[in-house]
Amino acid sequence: MFSYSKYTNFTWRGTLRDWADGMRSERSRPCMATTAASGLEVLLSTLQDAGDVESTLNILSVLDELLSAGTDRRIHYMISKGGSEALLSALVNTARSFSPNYTILLPLLHLLAKVGQRDRRIGLKAENADAVLLTLSLLRQNLEQPRRAAACLWVLRVFCSSVSTAVLLGNNRCLDVVFKLISPYTTKHTRTVKAAIDALGALLDSKANSRSAVAKGYVSSLLQLYKDWHSKDVGDAHLPIRQALLHCLHQATNTSEGLEALGAAGGIAVLFSTMQTCLASKGLQSLVDSSIQLMRKCYPSQPVPLPSDQSAYIFPLLGGPALPSDTDPGTQDDTLEEDDSDDSKNEDPSSSENLAQVPHLQLVGAMFIIMAVLKNKTAKNDDLETDLAKLQERPPPDRPLELLGQYTQLCPELHHDFQDLDTDSEEVEGEDSDEEKGFSRGRGPVGRGSLGHWQGNGGSQCGPPLEKQTPPREAPPPPAQRAGGPAGAQLRAQDLLSSFLRPHGAGQDSHSALDRLLEMHRPCIPHHDPRIYASIAPHTKSVAGFFTLAFPDLWGHLPPQGQEPMAGRKPNVQRKKVFEDIQRLLCPEDIIDKIVFDMEDASPVCPSGPPDSLHFYSKFESGNLRKAIHVRRYEYDLILNADVNCSQHLQWFYFEVSRMQANVPYRFNIINCEKANSQFNYGMQPVLYSVQEALEGRPRWVRAGSEICYYRNNFCPSQQRGPTFYTLTFTVTFQHSDDVCYLAYHYPYTYSTLQTHLQVLEGGVDSRKVFFRKQDLCDSLAGNPCPLVTITGCPPSRSWKHLHELRKRPCVVLTGRVHPGESNASWVMKGTLDFLCSSDPVAESLREAYIFKIVPMLNPDGVINGTHRCSLSGGDLNRQWIKPDPILSPTIYHTKGLLYYLNSIGRTPLVFCDYHGHSRKKNVFLYGCSIKETLWQAGSPVNTATLKEDPGHRTIPKTLDRIAPAFSFNSCSYLVEKSRAATARVVVWREMGVAKSYTMESTYNGCDQGIYKGLQIGTRELEEMGLKFCQSLLPLRINSLLCSRKLLGHASALLQLDDSPLDHKSHDCFEDDEPPCAEEIEYLNDNYLRHSSDELDAEVDGNVSSSEEDEDEEEEEEAEEEEQPRNGLQHSDRKSRLITGVTHKDCVNAVSLRRNPCNGVDTTNGQYLS
């Protein structure tokens, strides 16, 4: 097929262009693909069998020219046709001769390096061809020949992509051979030195080779080499060599032995000092980033300074063992579902082999991260329920039907006689009947008297019994009043802290102090009354027996006056924080290391600390801060408390800080976070409440904090099992000295706040228009009543017609706060409750159209005790819906019982929605359930065209997309997943037959779309979302409201049915999943691994066109390259510079290709061209 006679007017590029023209004119002829493919195969076959030097060089030149003219697609196509095997075979045949011909071997090695780095199986192929040790032998023979040695090193580096090949080379002392070319420091033959360092890095990818290198002392030698190159590299001319040395150190420290060796050699100090000189130069940022990652990786792990990983709060469970927490955390991903279900710590690594001998737990974290990524990629669709029978089945009730009669009393609207409609009085009835009160606390499924006392760690009693808590007692009056000055003239936040918020000792009734405080400062918070809060809070039962009132919860909160933009992230802010962390190790004399707060300390005051130390406190409702450690003058490490009765779920924080100085930046580090990423990396800020600002008439939670970042640290669990934690660090500059401030993960909303809100609402509604009943669904595990609210419109009269119309109204069931840390869900629920009780015309229409059954807080115990995810049982209540335990999960058991009851009397809810918060995504969105969409997404073979499914599950999301600025329609999902089978949304959909069963997720951060784009969400926007959800229910009842022009007018105005343009647009794609963080959160990744394959191509080409070549040859090549634009052929930057010692153009012209009848070239086809 080929003839190798001279063809004086031929060039490969010109022939390739002619062939392309011929192909365009002959596209219809079917012979092209077959002949083209066979041409490449013949060319490769000829390479293996070629016996003379000229033919082999010509073929290599043609291949290199062909591969260099296009993209990687050509190389991958060649690999698929056996290109790697052909090159390996030619290498073996040539190298095994008695006197190897390096005129052939050098270009062959170059081409093999280029092709092999794109072949994932090149190492195994080389082993099968016996080319591995042969190449190592060539290297040994050419240690004094830099260009030949470099070519061998590149090929060995490529072979090491297979770990088994790397181990084979290591067993044959390849490490020693390669290291001789690296050490000692020399500036001669730098290309070969760089190739040797890269080959060493590839060899060290094997743990066995890494351990061998440590044993030979190579780690300290590499560190010294890096130091030498850094100090002597004038003008940064050898930056790639320095970067390659850092890569070798990264590879060597992938074992515990390597970490210990680098630490013993003072590696962190060397890297820190060398990095300081690189910070000022932008061109050295790659060195800085790699050095930081290496220092973070080698920083010794240390356990969190806690006596135990278990929560400081232990609640004795008399009804049975603790509920299981989340399922396998590796399978949970909250980017797709309703819960932040990756809260739980990474899976227990104790079962891994030889783990007990690994002192640096970063390695465990690395394994977990890699496993989690691989698992999530394959398990995402595997988690979808594809069994049509399971999707369509209706499981039987989990309890006998005769037990459902007890829920009759929870539907007072069905038997209320509305006698007040016949009187002139508009007063609310003084007392409801026993049936309307709901389950009494003594008759509930869990009695209060059987719970016993709570215990802290070790079983020591740290507080009074739950039944015997007493209201706070009053302390002496505030100093301003004692001094006889004007009311409130001199009252400071610190005075308020000492006099009222922490009452202790004898005194007058506490309400007297509150009354005096309210006289001095008159707060006006809608639907909140501090007096009611102060009377309710002492009756709230907590595990720790809280006796302190947090001022923000007592006083109330107004939304910020303006919208707050997302915080900008300063460049390299994480780098700055990591530097400061590393300096703790290098300069231990600068560390104070003084505990200034400990939740387990029974004393109500903070431990004594330095005079200028901040004071911390969290022993109040919803508070969470276990320990505070003074690290440096203005820096504190903070440790969160795990959920009650477990050792995980660390995210929610809420604590008080006082005794600050104004205009001083304080750094706070929360050092035991669990999530792999956080919205704190994407513009989210914590919230801050200043008592001084509140006393001055500005009682607001505001977003605060600068230099915020979230990254993996070097603290591990106290039992030294599991991967290391993450740090959330932020800096706060307080406005007032000696203020009392509160910091929280998100806007707090306590159980006592809810009870206060409901009592205020109940007293404020017009009982002749609004039917509002607050009942106790049941008692929680700790004996706190779980409120159930019924809201609907009162009938116009007591006539049978009007009463019958009321009792035919469909039900809407709303629940929230099953996860205590999702306080945003409570603010959305507050917006729903306020709107439904308002005099808004749309609210009136909704009350006339529906009966609302609302359980605003499904997990009151968790909210009270400051947990993030679990109840006192230590389990996730949103995983108990299939068969809830009446003792351990009473709120879920009775909420499901109420749903069963409504279903049994023919009043199945039209809509069910569970309010949640989402910590990893922006905007607000819904999750629903759809059989068809689940099967489509899973690629099921089931013919969905034959399935009948009401498409109405999209009606509410579409309406919200029109009317709610914070809502993102394209973030919604309607998939049914196996791992979510026990959640409220799926169980209510499957067992109760509620097609419109949703979870509503609200962001903690803000929005990236619509009119709120770039803004952090506040309580105003969250409450607005609760209002908008109610409004979205109106279209479901349009047909039943046609008789009323007023109601139809409300619906038309609300939904803008005149087709007016929308005020915002949702995403056209899923943009909610955040891009990679600006800085590397993990420290186990080496950026050097991300370099493109073109870099090796450039090094290979540089080895060909080095200064050792004849200058005339280079000039001739440059002249030919200048002709290329005139020939009209475009190609990539990869140049064909394979053949040395022979004029490049002559070698190419020596090839004569036989053309086929189609007038085309048979070495390629259309799919081969880029």
Side-chain angles (χ1 to χ4, degrees):
M1 184 171 183
F2 293 94
S3 108
Y4 296 98
S5 61
K6 292 283 185 182
Y7 193 72
T8 55
N9 295 324
F10 170 81
T11 63
W12 172 253
R13 290 193 175 103
T15 306
L16 188 61
R17 181 193 59 204
D18 296 340
W19 167 80
D21 293 339
M23 182 179 177
R24 283 193 291 271
S25 64
E26 299 289 345
R27 287 184 184 275
S28 61
R29 310 184 85 164
C31 62
M32 285 299 298
T34 304
T35 55
S38 62
L40 177 62
E41 293 167 359
V42 170
L43 189 62
L44 295 174
S45 176
T46 306
L47 174 65
Q48 300 177 65
D49 299 333
D52 60 286
V53 174
E54 185 178 3
S55 298
T56 302
L57 290 176
N58 288 335
I59 295 173
L60 291 174
S61 180
V62 169
L63 287 174
D64 186 62
E65 190 75 22
L66 182 62
L67 300 179
S68 300
T71 63
D72 282 356
R73 289 180 58 196
R74 294 188 172 192
I75 297 181
H76 289 298
Y77 183 79
M78 174 182 169
I79 292 171
S80 69
K81 296 299 180 182
S84 300
E85 290 86 343
L87 293 173
L88 289 169
S89 177
L91 173 65
V92 171
N93 293 337
T94 305
R96 279 180 174 172
S97 60
F98 179 76
S99 180
N101 188 338
Y102 285 96
T103 304
I104 295 177
L105 277 178
L106 198 58
L108 185 58
L109 290 168
H110 289 165
L111 185 58
L112 184 58
K114 288 184 175 183
V115 174
Q117 67 172 328
R118 295 168 174 88
D119 187 346
R120 296 180 179 179
R121 303 184 67 250
I122 186 65
L124 297 177
K125 293 177 181 178
E127 288 187 58
N128 295 333
D130 295 330
V132 178
L133 298 183
L134 187 63
T135 306
L136 177 59
S137 177
L138 289 175
L139 175 62
R140 286 193 173 104
Q141 298 170 22
N142 292 278
L143 293 178
E144 302 300 326
Q145 301 292 327
R147 294 177 62 239
R148 297 178 186 177
C152 294
L153 288 165
W154 287 321
V155 172
L156 291 175
R157 167 187 168 185
V158 166
F159 288 169
C160 288
S161 61
S162 168
V163 176
S164 63
T165 308
V167 172
L168 175 63
L169 288 168
N171 292 337
N172 285 272
R173 305 183 65 83
C174 183
L175 286 172
D176 299 334
V177 176
V178 172
F179 202 79
K180 287 180 181 179
L181 296 172
I182 299 174
S183 181
Y185 166 81
T186 178
T187 56
K188 293 183 179 180
H189 311 303
T190 55
R191 182 180 294 110
T192 304
V193 172
K194 171 64 164 54
I197 298 173
D198 285 338
L200 180 63
L203 286 165
L204 294 178
D205 196 37
S206 158
K207 297 285 182 66
N209 289 343
S210 180
R211 295 186 180 96
S212 177
V214 172
K216 296 175 184 291
Y218 288 167
V219 172
S220 58
S221 299
L222 286 170
L223 185 65
Q224 183 60 45
L225 276 172
Y226 176 74
K227 190 175 179 180
D228 292 340
W229 277 101
H230 174 82
S231 60
K232 300 176 183 178
D233 186 15
V234 180
D236 300 321
H238 301 295
L239 180 62
I241 290 180
R242 293 155 66 184
Q243 182 67 53
L245 285 168
L246 286 177
H247 172 62
C248 287
L249 289 172
H250 267 286
Q251 295 291 79
T253 52
N254 282 336
T255 62
S256 58
E257 295 87 350
L259 288 170
E260 292 175 354
L262 188 62
I268 295 180
V270 170
L271 292 170
F272 189 85
S273 62
T274 56
M275 185 182 56
Q276 299 301 313
T277 61
C278 301
L279 293 175
S281 175
K282 292 184 178 180
L284 301 180
Q285 293 307 299
S286 60
L287 283 180
V288 174
D289 293 341
S290 189
S291 297
I292 289 175
Q293 293 295 84
L294 189 53
M295 286 189 289
R296 292 174 67 190
K297 183 179 178 181
C298 298
Y299 197 108
S301 292
Q302 52 184 316
V304 173
L306 293 175
S308 170
D309 297 323
Q310 287 290 324
S311 172
Y313 296 154
I314 303 299
F315 185 82
L317 299 173
L318 304 182
L323 291 174
S325 188
D326 290 348
T327 54
D328 178 11
T331 65
Q332 298 164 356
D333 185 359
D334 63 12
T335 60
L336 287 178
E337 249 309 344
E338 55 256 53
D339 310 323
D340 292 331
S341 50
D342 61 347
D343 275 351
S344 55
K345 275 195 284 192
N346 302 337
E347 53 198 15
D348 183 3
S350 58
S351 59
S352 302
E353 294 182 5
N354 301 323
L355 186 57
Q357 301 169 355
V358 180
H360 294 274
L361 294 168
Q362 298 95 322
L363 302 177
V364 181
M367 291 188 292
F368 171 79
I369 294 168
I370 295 171
M371 292 173 61
V373 170
L374 295 176
K375 185 183 295 184
N376 285 335
K377 286 183 177 179
T378 58
K380 185 176 293 184
N381 284 342
D382 292 342
D383 191 34
L384 296 178
E385 182 59 76
T386 57
D387 189 333
L388 184 60
K390 290 184 179 180
L391 287 170
Q392 292 181 323
E393 73 173 343
R394 187 80 171 271
D398 63 8
R399 67 199 75 186
L401 294 179
E402 51 268 23
L403 294 180
L404 301 181
Q406 60 184 318
Y407 300 104
T408 304
Q409 57 192 315
L410 297 182
C411 297
E413 73 284 356
L414 300 182
H415 51 77
H416 189 71
D417 56 11
F418 295 96
Q419 292 182 1
D420 53 334
L421 296 179
D422 292 339
T423 66
D424 293 331
S425 173
E426 295 185 0
E427 296 179 0
V428 182
E429 295 176 346
E431 292 291 337
D432 292 331
S433 64
D434 289 341
E435 289 185 350
E436 292 189 13
K437 287 182 179 178
F439 298 153
S440 68
R441 296 172 189 172
R443 291 183 289 127
V446 182
R448 290 190 179 191
S450 62
L451 295 175
H453 300 174
W454 76 279
Q455 292 181 335
N457 284 339
S460 61
Q461 182 173 334
C462 300
L466 290 172
E467 306 86 37
K468 298 181 180 180
Q469 295 184 50
T470 57
R473 297 174 179 253
E474 180 204 3
Q481 207 161 353
R482 292 199 303 267
Q490 304 295 325
L491 183 63
R492 299 180 305 162
Q494 193 68 35
D495 301 327
L496 184 64
L497 172 68
S498 60
S499 63
F500 180 76
L501 295 183
R502 300 220 188 111
H504 50 85
Q508 302 175 6
D509 185 78
S510 62
H511 291 284
S512 300
L514 178 59
D515 291 338
R516 292 193 298 271
L517 183 63
L518 294 175
E519 289 175 3
M520 291 185 288
H521 306 273
R522 302 179 181 276
C524 184
I525 311 297
H527 300 136
H528 183 81
D529 188 333
R531 292 181 177 86
I532 297 178
Y533 186 93
S535 65
I536 288 176
H539 301 288
T540 298
K541 295 191 172 184
S542 61
V543 173
F546 299 137
F547 62 87
T548 298
L549 303 181
F551 186 85
D553 306 321
L554 168 72
W555 203 251
H557 152 76
L558 289 174
Q561 289 182 323
Q563 294 173 325
E564 299 173 292
M566 294 181 189
R569 184 180 177 113
K570 295 181 179 179
N572 302 317
V573 60
Q574 179 178 304
R575 173 195 297 177
K576 175 184 175 183
K577 301 304 178 183
V578 171
F579 284 172
E580 294 174 3
D581 294 345
I582 292 171
Q583 286 177 322
R584 296 190 191 188
L585 181 67
L586 300 179
C587 306
E589 65 277 4
D590 297 337
I591 305 303
I592 299 173
D593 196 25
K594 174 71 175 180
I595 297 174
V596 293
F597 172 74
D598 191 340
M599 176 187 285
E600 297 173 84
D601 186 350
S603 171
V605 298
C606 302
S608 59
D612 58 349
S613 174
L614 295 177
H615 282 190
F616 295 84
Y617 198 78
S618 66
K619 298 179 184 180
F620 49 78
E621 190 173 344
S622 293
N624 191 321
L625 177 65
R626 185 167 181 176
K627 183 175 287 189
I629 303 172
H630 196 177
V631 179
R632 284 178 277 231
R633 183 176 182 184
Y634 299 121
E635 181 178 356
Y636 297 84
D637 281 351
L638 309 178
I639 303 173
L640 304 183
N641 189 33
D643 283 5
V644 177
N645 279 359
C646 65
S647 60
Q648 53 191 23
H649 309 301
L650 299 155
Q651 177 173 311
W652 171 259
F653 60 87
Y654 180 20
F655 58 88
E656 173 194 287
V657 58
S658 58
R659 292 189 59 181
M660 67 283 293
Q661 302 175 34
N663 303 318
V664 172
Y666 291 90
R667 178 184 174 184
F668 299 101
N669 311 308
I670 299 177
I671 63 172
N672 63 332
C673 301
E674 292 177 318
K675 289 182 176 293
N677 201 351
S678 170
Q679 282 292 316
F680 283 113
N681 277 330
Y682 302 96
M684 178 176 162
Q685 296 172 284
V687 294
L688 179 145
Y689 189 105
S690 165
V691 173
Q692 191 64 45
E693 288 289 300
L695 295 177
E696 294 175 3
R698 296 178 294 274
R700 294 184 176 91
W701 283 103
V702 296
R703 299 280 187 168
S706 60
E707 298 187 344
I708 303 172
C709 54
Y710 185 95
Y711 56 92
R712 188 181 282 276
N713 60 32
N714 297 83
F715 288 100
C716 61
S718 61
Q719 304 302 321
Q720 297 194 6
R721 297 182 59 184
T724 55
F725 290 112
Y726 294 82
T727 289
L728 165 63
T729 181
F730 55 92
T731 300
V732 176
T733 302
F734 299 100
Q735 297 183 32
H736 307 283
S737 294
D738 292 327
D739 195 359
V740 178
C741 292
Y742 294 81
L743 287 164
Y745 181 86
H746 195 67
Y747 306 98
Y749 193 97
T750 67
Y751 172 76
S752 297
T753 300
L754 171 65
Q755 294 286 43
T756 302
H757 181 221
L758 294 180
Q759 187 168 331
V760 172
L761 279 181
E762 189 172 23
V765 298
D766 184 349
S767 62
R768 294 182 61 87
K769 295 181 179 180
V770 182
F771 182 86
F772 183 101
R773 287 295 182 274
K774 172 182 172 290
Q775 301 169 279
D776 292 345
L777 174 69
C778 63
D779 278 356
S780 69
L781 198 57
N784 292 293
C786 177
L788 168 68
V789 179
T790 302
I791 301 175
T792 190
C794 291
S797 71
R798 295 182 62 202
S799 67
W800 180 89
K801 177 182 177 181
H802 289 151
L803 292 177
H804 182 66
E805 183 276 332
L806 180 150
R807 289 159 185 167
K808 287 198 309 179
R809 294 172 187 170
C811 288
V812 173
V813 178
L814 306 176
T815 61
R817 207 66 184 277
V818 70
H819 295 142
E822 295 168 6
S823 61
N824 42 2
S826 283
W827 288 103
V828 176
M829 185 64 76
K830 180 179 184 296
T832 293
L833 290 166
D834 288 348
F835 178 70
L836 290 177
C837 294
S838 71
S839 59
D840 186 282
V842 177
E844 293 180 4
S845 301
L846 288 168
R847 292 195 298 266
E848 294 174 12
Y850 298 104
I851 297 172
F852 291 89
K853 297 287 185 182
I854 302 175
V855 186
M857 193 170 284
L858 283 168
N859 192 349
D861 292 341
V863 173
I864 292 167
N865 291 285
T867 66
H868 172 62
R869 189 172 184 83
C870 298
S871 68
L872 297 188
S873 64
D876 181 354
L877 290 182
N878 202 35
R879 295 297 187 275
Q880 313 302 325
W881 279 83
I882 290 181
K883 192 172 179 59
D885 188 291
I887 303 298
L888 298 179
S889 309
T891 60
I892 305 302
Y893 178 84
H894 289 291
T895 302
K896 188 178 182 183
L898 174 60
L899 290 165
Y900 271 140
Y901 173 72
L902 294 173
N903 185 266
S904 68
I905 62 174
R907 302 185 57 78
T908 300
L910 179 65
V911 175
F912 172 85
C913 189
D914 190 19
Y915 290 8
H916 281 254
H918 208 294
S919 70
R920 300 282 290 276
K921 297 175 74 173
K922 294 184 173 71
N923 310 311
V924 182
F925 46 94
L926 290 176
Y927 291 120
C929 300
S930 169
I931 295 176
K932 286 189 175 183
E933 296 191 36
T934 301
L935 295 175
W936 288 337
Q937 180 68 31
S940 172
V942 176
N943 182 13
T944 56
T946 61
L947 297 177
K948 293 183 178 180
E949 184 177 57
D950 182 4
H953 63 274
R954 284 178 170 259
T955 301
I956 292 177
K958 287 181 178 178
T959 304
L960 287 172
D961 197 47
R962 294 184 64 91
I963 67 176
F967 190 81
S968 172
F969 179 78
N970 285 314
S971 294
C972 298
S973 174
Y974 312 92
L975 306 180
V976 181
E977 296 174 293
K978 300 172 185 176
S979 61
R980 302 305 189 267
T983 60
R985 169 181 63 93
V986 177
V987 170
V988 173
W989 169 75
R990 177 176 284 153
E991 297 190 22
M992 314 300 171
V994 179
K996 299 176 180 64
S997 179
Y998 302 104
T999 293
M1000 181 159 62
E1001 295 282 359
S1002 300
T1003 180
Y1004 289 95
N1005 185 356
C1007 300
D1008 57 7
Q1009 57 145 43
I1011 62 175
Y1012 294 156
K1013 183 175 182 178
L1015 300 175
Q1016 294 185 83
I1017 204 163
T1019 57
R1020 180 190 294 108
E1021 292 75 32
L1022 291 169
E1023 291 182 50
E1024 177 192 58
M1025 193 62 230
L1027 177 155
K1028 295 297 184 182
F1029 182 82
C1030 294
Q1031 292 179 342
S1032 71
L1033 301 173
L1034 203 56
L1036 304 179
R1037 294 280 286 163
I1038 286 290
N1039 293 335
S1040 64
L1041 301 177
L1042 291 179
C1043 59
S1044 170
R1045 291 188 177 181
K1046 181 184 71 171
L1047 299 184
L1048 182 58
H1050 292 162
S1052 299
L1054 168 67
L1055 301 178
Q1056 302 175 350
L1057 299 181
D1058 56 351
D1059 294 328
S1060 58
L1062 299 177
D1063 60 353
H1064 74 283
K1065 294 181 180 179
S1066 292
H1067 296 304
D1068 293 327
C1069 60
F1070 291 97
E1071 296 181 1
D1072 291 298
D1073 295 329
E1074 299 291 356
C1077 185
E1079 298 181 81
E1080 188 64 60
I1081 299 171
E1082 304 290 340
Y1083 53 73
L1084 301 157
N1085 301 327
D1086 182 10
N1087 294 333
Y1088 189 81
L1089 299 174
R1090 302 176 184 175
H1091 290 189
S1092 67
S1093 55
D1094 288 340
E1095 295 186 13
L1096 179 57
D1097 294 344
E1099 292 177 4
V1100 171
D1101 293 338
N1103 197 44
V1104 175
S1105 59
S1106 65
S1107 59
E1108 298 170 6
E1109 291 184 288
D1110 184 69
E1111 292 181 0
D1112 294 337
E1113 179 183 343
E1114 290 186 358
E1115 293 175 0
E1116 191 169 355
E1117 287 186 25
E1118 293 173 0
E1120 182 179 284
E1121 291 170 4
E1122 292 175 357
E1123 288 183 8
Q1124 293 168 4
R1126 294 195 294 269
N1127 290 336
L1129 184 65
Q1130 296 181 353
H1131 57 88
S1132 72
D1133 292 336
R1134 285 201 304 267
K1135 301 296 189 289
S1136 176
R1137 297 177 176 177
L1138 209 62
I1139 310 300
T1140 60
V1142 181
T1143 302
H1144 180 72
K1145 185 174 181 179
D1146 290 343
C1147 287
V1148 175
N1149 288 344
V1151 180
S1152 175
L1153 296 178
R1154 181 180 304 161
R1155 303 195 176 209
N1156 62 19
C1158 299
N1159 202 24
V1161 179
D1162 58 357
T1163 58
T1164 185
N1165 57 25
Q1167 62 179 330
Y1168 190 32
L1169 291 172
S1170 59

